[in-house]
Amino acid sequence: MATPGSNPILPKGIGSVIAIASGKGGVGKSTTTVNLAVQLQKTGARVGIVDADVYGPNIPMMMGIPETERPCVTPEQHLIPFENHGVQVMSIGFLVEPGKAVIWRGPMLHGIIRQFLNSVEWGELDYLLVDLPPGTGDASLSLVQTVPLSGAVIVTTPQQVAQSDVRRSIAMFNDVRVPLLGLIENMSGLECPHCHKDIALFEGDGGRLLSKEYAMPLLGKVPFDSSVGKAGDIGTPISISQPQSTQAQAFRQTAESVIARVRILQSEAEHAQPEIQIG
């Protein structure tokens, strides 16, 4: 749903655009994005990622694509996305020098998000995931003004400080009338390598509590394991490098929940009665 005064248009050939957001940094939002993308692709879907996190464009590294690469341009001045692990990727990291700070005001950020959505040769995609920067700033507003979102996925961790920031993200998407697909609780405990019991890394039960508070689905809970971060560092998400791991299976189940939730919201939208204008 758009904000007042905007006219968002879904790019040709793209089925669903899904925002991946968080209220704060450090919760594993980008890790969640790449693993969701890979697991969606494994279902047979055609998937792309827009890395709109201008302050920390980590998607190229996590997807095994060097930031030193520069996208080719068609005669129509459209960018050609990179592809790895069966997923197409476009990132701000491909357009700036590695390690250079991106200091952009709102209009510049709005322009690059519009370009990534409307001037990239995505072809036919079932899902386009947009990895947003933490918080509720210009990138999120630019996104909802550019395309009609199928919904937003909110990534959190169990502790209370994360819950506080997540509430702001939920409020922002509600204010701009974007449907919330649900929550993903990342770093949801740790399995002891000796006794195999679950160990709580953080105090709290953020995902379940927020799900109940806002009457929205808890799409999945992904346990912590250092191998998840290591897999991202080498550019091979754990859903590829260790597909039978507990974490990869959690991402698989979460991806299935996302697919089901998108279908439910699309069905509800199709059957919604149009408002009757009087006068």
Side-chain angles (χ1 to χ4, degrees):
M1 188 68 67
T3 56
S6 63
N7 184 29
I9 299 174
L10 190 67
K12 183 179 179 181
I14 296 179
S16 297
V17 181
I18 300 172
I20 311 295
S22 66
K24 68 190 301 296
V27 299
K29 172 181 54 62
S30 296
T31 298
T32 298
T33 300
V34 298
N35 280 282
L36 273 183
V38 166
Q39 293 292 355
L40 288 170
Q41 188 274 336
K42 286 187 173 186
T43 69
R46 296 159 297 186
V47 184
I49 300 174
V50 168
D51 182 6
D53 190 347
V54 294
Y55 311 115
N58 297 317
I59 298 294
M61 176 187 291
M62 292 181 174
M63 290 297 291
I65 306 170
E67 280 192 5
T68 52
E69 297 286 346
R70 294 293 177 261
C72 295
V73 181
T74 70
E76 296 77 22
Q77 298 302 302
H78 285 188
L79 299 172
I80 298 177
F82 293 96
E83 183 172 333
N84 202 16
H85 307 309
V87 175
Q88 296 187 58
V89 178
M90 183 52 66
S91 172
I92 288 173
F94 298 136
L95 304 181
V96 297
E97 293 299 320
K100 184 178 180 180
V102 178
I103 306 172
W104 286 353
R105 297 185 184 276
M108 294 180 66
L109 183 57
H110 182 72
I112 198 67
I113 288 177
R114 287 183 65 88
Q115 182 181 17
F116 281 177
L117 292 166
N118 297 317
S119 299
V120 171
E121 292 289 322
W122 293 110
E124 300 286 330
L125 291 181
D126 297 297
Y127 302 99
L128 182 61
L129 308 185
V130 183
D131 184 49
L132 290 169
T136 56
D138 289 331
S140 300
L141 184 58
S142 294
L143 179 62
V144 300
Q145 289 177 332
T146 303
V147 295
L149 293 174
S150 297
V153 171
I154 310 294
V155 181
T156 186
T157 47
Q159 76 270 38
Q160 188 170 343
V161 67
Q163 296 174 48
S164 177
D165 289 335
V166 162
R167 287 186 176 90
R168 297 184 182 93
S169 285
I170 292 173
M172 185 272 292
F173 283 114
N174 283 334
D175 286 345
V176 296
R177 301 189 293 280
V178 169
L180 291 161
L181 298 178
L183 292 151
I184 298 174
E185 185 180 272
N186 193 31
M187 293 181 267
S188 180
L190 168 70
E191 182 181 298
C192 174
H194 305 293
C195 67
H196 302 292
K197 292 183 178 180
D198 290 334
I199 301 171
L201 291 176
F202 305 103
E203 292 293 329
D205 193 5
R208 184 184 64 81
L209 293 175
L210 289 166
S211 173
K212 183 177 180 181
E213 179 180 346
Y214 290 96
M216 57 191 297
L218 180 59
L219 299 169
K221 300 177 71 171
V222 182
F224 174 84
D225 192 284
S226 61
S227 60
V228 177
K230 292 175 182 176
D233 288 345
I234 64 173
T236 307
I238 196 158
S239 293
I240 296 287
S241 61
Q242 299 181 43
Q244 300 306 317
S245 65
T246 300
Q247 289 69 32
Q249 291 302 306
F251 281 123
R252 179 185 62 79
Q253 294 167 6
T254 302
E256 292 173 352
S257 297
V258 169
I259 292 171
R261 181 70 171 149
V262 168
R263 289 174 177 168
I264 288 171
L265 292 181
Q266 287 176 340
S267 177
E268 291 176 351
E270 290 171 0
H271 292 88
Q273 294 296 323
E275 294 182 5
I276 300 175
Q277 300 294 329
I278 300 177

